Amino acid sequence: MEAQPTAAHAIETVFRLESPRVVAGVARIVRDVGIAEELAQDALVAALERWPRDGVPDNPGAWLMATARHRAVDLVRRRETYARKLAEIGRNLPAAAPPLEPADPEDIDDDLLRLVFTTCHPALSPEARIALTLRLLGGLSTAEIARAHLVPEATVAQRIVRAKRTLATRNVAFEVPYGPDREARLGSVLDVIYLIFNEGYAATAGDDLLRPGLCEDALRLARLLSGLMPKEPEVHGLTALLEFQASRTAARTAPDGTPVLLKDQNRRRWNRMLIARGIRALARADATATGAPGPYALQAAIAACHAHAYSYAETDWRAIATLYTLLAARAPSPVVELNRAVAVSMAEGPAEALELVDALAGEPALRDYHLLPSVRADLLARLGRPAEARTEFERAASLTRNERERALLLRRAAEAG
């Protein structure tokens, strides 16, 4: 009687982790991301039917991939509506179709990278690119994407449907483009890789703070892109930023999953190998830059300041505040200003920072952003205004959709009170 829930849990977990790779691998065969997603869902249905009866396979991810690929090959061979695709790959189908066993990891990464460039095609609006990529590569539900971007769920659903239709009707090639086409998509590709990492680093919603699989996928894509475009400083800047951020993963949560604030983290648990990789990537960003550093290189420089500090007290907050000022000039954003206020609070004191935070209160983009009242609460607590701090922590807790963050904020509210 226990086999059913065990298999169901395994299916849910494996599909959430493996669906981007399955979609990417199948899209290489059918050349259509919408159909690829449908075939991945078909593989999930097959797993729901068979695993409870036959048991969970030793390699469930490979099982899903093989099942979806079998169906993709059958579909290409069988349906007349795919005559064009048959003309392109039919004669060499056995050679063109990927092996049914797990491919080399680099091949999988290539598929994911092709999928990123495909979903970031200029034919799609920036909003549609982000929504489609987070859906296919990030594995986020429509509701999660809507919550993350503060838009109605129906709006996100429409963007995704229209994006798939546009890619199909325009016969967009499933490939990593070259020359001007690659450059035209690069900005969007970097943005969505960053968004995927961020969703893994601090999940928008759910019971867990972290979704490590998303961080790993984003970091692999960034590293692969660095090798593909070695002369692009922002590619190296993004890679450096993700290396630095990923280095803290082990220290960001307690054994029970409770979030650990930066000032309380055990820095001996920071991954020094990833920090070294970040330093090298940042050096490559500096070496390839021909002008002022870009937004990702500046964010990587900020992360490097934290990485170089062996304790919270040793952090060079003045340098961080200066870098945030440069970032605000290069890529203006209320969130950047909020982060700058945090750095100013450490460099100059909470009173100066509170003025900056209060100036952001009317920003529409921050209206439902839980970190605004959270930062304000922290400043009020440091200024000896506990009642106000408690109110702000409680407000922040009401805005977050992540259960771990909500519990942390409510605990801080109780401590402030």
Side-chain angles (χ1 to χ4, degrees), residues 327-337:
L327 180 60
R330 189 75 169 79
S333 160
V335 174
V336 171
E337 291 294 345

Side-chain angles (χ1 to χ4, degrees), residues 209-210 249-261 269 404 411:
L209 178 69
L210 306 177
T249 299
R252 292 188 64 238
T253 55
D256 64 354
T258 302
V260 179
L261 298 174
R269 300 191 67 198
R404 294 291 186 179
R411 189 190 78 207

